[in-house]
Amino acid sequence: MLFTQIEYFIFFGIVLAALLITRSHCVRKRLLLLASYYFYAYWDWRFLFLIVLSTCVDYFVALGLARTSRPSRRKLLLVTSVTCNLGILGFFKYFNFFVQSLEPIFGVFGLHYGTLNIVLPIGISFYTFQTLSYTIDVYRGRLEPCRNAFDFALFVAFFPQLVAGPIVRASEFLPQLESNVRLSWYGTFLGFRQFTIGLFKKVFIADHLALFVDYVFDNAGAFDGVSTWCATLAYGLQIFCDFSGYSDMAIGTARIMGYHLPTNFRSPYLAVSMTDFWRRWHISLSTWLRDYLYIPLGGNRKGRTRTYVNIFITMLLGGLWHGASWTFVFWGALHGAALVVEKWLGSMKRTATLSHLPGIVGWLATMLFLFTTWVFFRAVSFRQAFLMLRQMYGFSGGVRWYYPFVLATLVLAIAGHALAATNVVSLRQLAHNRLVTPVVLFSMWWLVLVFPAEGFNPFVYFQF
Amino acid sequence: MTARPVAVVRATAMRWVLGGVIASLLVTVMAPCFLSSLRVYEWSPELDGYVLKEGYVHRKRDEGWASTRYGPYGFASVARLGGSDASTVMIWGDSYVEAHQVDDEQKTVCQVNNALSEQGLPQFRAVAVGRACWSVADYYFKIPQYEKLVDPVCHFIVLAEYGLNDLCPDGETFVSEPALQFVRRSLVDSRRSAVIAGLHRWGLSDMLLAPWKAVRTVLVSGRNIRFSLGPRKEADEPTAGSGCRLLASESEPNAVIESWSYALERLKARSSRPIVLVLVPEVPRLERGAVCLVDPQSEWRRRLARLCTAEGVGCIDMTATLVNDYRATGKFSRGFHNGKPDSGHLNARGHWLLSRQICAYLDEHKDTLLKTNYALHAD
């Protein structure tokens, strides 16, 4: 069920009505759990058992961790959880990828394995990371295990963020389940505002840009340099509006029901360095990678070289998390390399560090790198990516396609970013007591309804 | 929900209602600039069907950016029918002949008329009868009525949608079971059309365009509403006898030829005027990053051309014209900046090329066409 589908509005209306008429806090939570399981089973009921399995494993492992202080047993329990979670993720998401990638090696020894017809369970990358973080936090002693199985199940399956994040930490969410969450007018307003903005970004901007972007990438190499640059810029805007739109809708939905989910984006295209970018883009993932991968690898505590290696490995695996394809790995590697270079320049105390450059130069350099690497993120193969880059940087001739909506959106996006950078425009201006707020929000709803993009448009991040 | 003072609730409610009204007004006023207009039909007793209202100007915005002015009997770009000694040729087709994507002066029919004047062929004038979603069965049923009206000397039937599908059974207007047969239908919903005509009369069709579209979006979304658990069942396979399936598979060439043969026989039986098929393949087009100049249906087209010769039906194959024009100019004959740049409906250049081919045919066959006196067929 997509947040943009009419089914979702009916489903959410029923859930909200049920929450409003239910007085018992406990019953409300059970209702939410039931609704969350239905929300997931609506896509495919057969994969519900994976969530339940993941929930059970981490629930009992955490309880086991609380009962024992023997390091070997604790380690064994942690390994059990990690193996189980990553095993499920690895099988469903990466099995075919590894089989295909290793085929040339197997072939040398005369071994030939076929791939399996595996359906990728939606949201598996997100809830796996969520449950993993919980167990690791309990193992580290930073979190008390959740004794209530239903609460824990709700933390894993809470429907607004179940399929595409934000990746919520147990320490942020479980305490909310312990207190009696109350619905408020102001919370409803904030949630409605954020949901509306997310809906507008997804349906009105991202889905329309996708029509152009998809066609140019599918025909990479056929379009002239300017059109190809437009497609790359449009893709950067599309994926931002698509993913941050989803996050906004998730956060907005949760907010209406009285729950707080963490912010996932902070104007990422205002970043003046790649380090800055990763503090603004998919924040719940980047902080997860920092806390549960980079720091356990040693972080910056084991010398300069090891720090660079750790950064690179973290970004490489971050790339792989996005999808089972070498283009994602390469994209992660490029970002990792950029972060290493920035770190190195910073440690050399050179003024040439991107973050020390004058704002506009740093911003331009960051954007140039960022949008160039988006090509690898979007392309289905290296061939496609290099054809796009050839057109972009070779300014080669080809079919000219200047889609008016795309051009207008790009111009408005740049203007909007400029205004946001100077704080002329901010969400604060859409305050609950200003007339402009309902005008803007209702206009967004109108535009979404009057100009829908054709066809079925799932969120880009559903594939991850 | 937490309780709030009545005065605050009232002020908030007022603010949101006012905000909603202002937003609605803004979108209502702005939206018509970016939305295609609602088609306004009127009933024509002479044609025994709905035609686009005389004087109505259709605005197209989602593919191309153009306006089409309608004259009497739903003829596009024609101010009046009578007052000319020239022999009429009719150009039939679906949305490719309707050509809402380009302005009137760029449409095939106008370009044919201009070219006829320029080439010294004032004996002819062209009128176009096209409507989106029409197919061969619709032409079959409508030919007699239009012949009574304009007494043409020739019918050009433009086949440009998905290759040759329009000549194959589609399961709706051209059925193959139990036997090949054309089925009459009306594409116009009379109730919907009456509502739109009413709105147009009161000057409200543009004012209410945005709400109309919004309601339509909700209704369309609600059409496939589902609450049962997934996975969703795969979409049904194309029904037997559909043109797509027939042409996609080489396994049933006889079935295709039979259906074409049936269609041509029926058209010929319906009209004593010469019939000319104009085949507009989807070349050139982009395919995986390269400009493809080869029509995958070229073999089918050759078979159809042979069948046309055998049946005494004219046939214009545009393939070479379109390919050569692309080679010479690098321009696509289909596509728009706000659609796809290489595919979709014919653009101004595509219409120009089509008009040249029709004029060339008329020039070549003018003696035959002008000498014959045709008797009107009984309906």
Side-chain angles (χ1 to χ4, degrees), chain B residues 118-351:
Chain B
E118 286 166 17
Q119 290 175 14
L121 284 168
Q123 312 93 308
F124 293 111
R125 62 145 189 187
V127 291
V129 187
R131 184 89 55 83
C133 300
W134 271 3
S135 75
V136 64
D138 297 290
Y139 313 142
Y140 169 78
F141 288 114
K142 291 184 186 305
I143 278 174
Q145 280 116 21
Y146 278 92
E147 285 190 346
K148 279 183 200 161
L149 205 64
V150 295
D151 191 19
V153 293
C154 178
H155 295 287
F156 287 93
I157 295 178
V158 178
L159 301 173
E161 174 90 39
Y162 305 121
L164 306 166
N165 284 354
D166 278 354
L167 272 187
C168 290
D170 58 7
E172 204 178 327
T173 57
F174 188 2
V175 295
S176 57
E177 298 289 340
L180 290 166
Q181 193 186 348
F182 288 151
V183 179
R184 191 188 285 269
R185 67 155 173 196
S186 173
L187 281 169
V188 180
D189 179 335
S190 54
R191 277 179 59 192
R192 186 175 182 272
S193 154
V195 172
I196 296 175
L199 293 176
H200 185 72
R201 205 173 306 124
W202 290 95
L204 294 172
S205 55
D206 275 348
M207 285 286 287
L208 295 177
L209 192 53
W212 181 283
K213 292 276 177 186
V215 170
R216 192 173 169 274
T217 303
V218 174
L219 292 177
V220 168
S221 312
R223 207 174 284 159
N224 297 319
I225 202 163
R226 166 181 78 96
F227 287 102
S228 58
L229 300 185
R232 184 189 279 264
K233 284 177 191 150
E234 291 296 316
D236 293 334
E237 293 294 312
T239 50
S242 85
C244 301
R245 190 186 62 79
L246 273 180
L247 286 171
S249 159
E250 281 278 342
S251 60
E252 296 179 81
N254 290 338
V256 178
I257 301 292
E258 256 176 49
S259 65
W260 286 351
S261 191
Y262 173 84
L264 294 181
E265 288 286 351
R266 299 290 284 162
L267 286 171
K268 275 167 55 190
R270 200 64 160 172
S271 172
S272 55
R273 275 69 164 174
I275 292 170
V276 183
L277 299 188
V278 187
L279 313 180
V280 189
E282 289 176 272
V283 286
R285 66 185 184 285
L286 287 174
E287 209 171 88
R288 273 172 271 146
V291 178
C292 179
L293 299 173
V294 180
D295 176 22
Q297 292 185 330
S298 57
E299 184 50 39
W300 285 119
R301 269 190 297 100
R302 273 193 282 276
R303 287 178 196 182
L304 177 58
R306 279 200 296 271
L307 184 68
C308 286
T309 311
E311 296 277 357
V313 170
C315 183
I316 300 174
D317 186 349
M318 293 270 295
T319 311
T321 308
L322 298 173
V323 169
N324 292 338
D325 183 68
Y326 178 78
R327 286 195 173 123
T329 65
K331 289 179 181 168
F332 289 103
S333 48
R334 294 171 187 246
F336 297 85
H337 277 290
N338 59 347
K340 285 179 178 167
D342 63 310
S343 51
H345 287 94
L346 295 174
N347 53 30
R349 185 147 197 94
H351 282 283

Side-chain angles (χ1 to χ4, degrees), chain A residues 204 442-452, chain B residues 22-38 59-62 65 204-215 217:
Chain A
F204 188 74
F442 281 129
S443 297
M444 286 177 170
W445 275 93
W446 269 113
L447 292 174
V448 162
L449 287 169
V450 175
F451 298 97
Chain B
I22 294 171
S24 306
L25 283 174
L26 279 174
V27 174
T28 302
V29 170
M30 296 293 290
C33 302
F34 303 98
L35 285 171
S36 301
S37 52
L38 297 170
R59 197 178 55 234
K60 182 78 174 171
R61 292 294 182 261
D62 49 355
W65 189 276
L204 294 172
S205 55
D206 275 348
M207 285 286 287
L208 295 177
L209 192 53
W212 181 283
K213 292 276 177 186
V215 170
T217 303

Side-chain angles (χ1 to χ4, degrees), chain A residues 347-363:
Chain A
S347 70
M348 301 287 280
K349 304 217 182 286
R350 298 255 177 94
T351 50
T353 311
L354 284 182
S355 54
H356 290 97
L357 289 172
I360 187 75
V361 180
W363 177 78

Side-chain angles (χ1 to χ4, degrees), chain B residues 3-13:
Chain B
R4 298 198 309 168
V6 177
V8 175
V9 172
R10 195 175 293 161
T12 307

Side-chain angles (χ1 to χ4, degrees), chain A residues 1-5 8 39 122 163-164 195 198-199 201-203 206-207 238-250 456-464:
Chain A
M1 196 184 295
L2 303 180
F3 287 162
T4 53
Q5 278 178 304
Y8 180 74
F39 180 82
I122 200 163
V163 290
F195 186 92
L199 183 76
K201 283 201 274 191
K202 162 66 182 161
V203 180
D207 289 351
Q238 181 208 339
I239 195 164
F240 168 66
C241 289
D242 192 287
F243 191 25
S244 74
Y246 181 90
S247 295
D248 285 338
M249 283 188 267
F456 178 66
N457 302 290
F459 290 88
V460 173
Y461 263 64
F462 274 20
Q463 61 183 299
F464 307 144

Side-chain angles (χ1 to χ4, degrees), chain A residues 64 148 193 226 254 268 292 355 462:
Chain A
N148 188 323
R193 184 180 70 177
V226 178
Y292 301 103
S355 54
F462 274 20

Side-chain angles (χ1 to χ4, degrees), chain A residues 7 38 41-46 183 185 188 215 219 222-223 401-403 432-433 435 439 442-443 446 449-450, chain B residues 1-2 4 15-16 20 23-24 27 35 210 217 225-231 286 288-289 337-342:
Chain A
E7 284 96 328
Y38 170 76
Y42 180 85
W43 169 70
D44 196 334
W45 65 269
R46 294 168 302 176
L183 280 70
W185 287 110
T188 305
Y215 205 67
N219 290 289
F223 292 93
W401 188 17
Y402 309 136
Y403 202 118
H432 73 287
N433 54 0
L435 179 60
V439 173
F442 281 129
S443 297
W446 269 113
L449 287 169
V450 175
Chain B
M1 288 279 184
T2 46
R4 298 198 309 168
R15 196 180 306 120
W16 280 80
S24 306
V27 174
L35 285 171
T217 303
I225 202 163
R226 166 181 78 96
F227 287 102
S228 58
L229 300 185
L286 287 174
R288 273 172 271 146
H337 277 290
N338 59 347
K340 285 179 178 167
D342 63 310

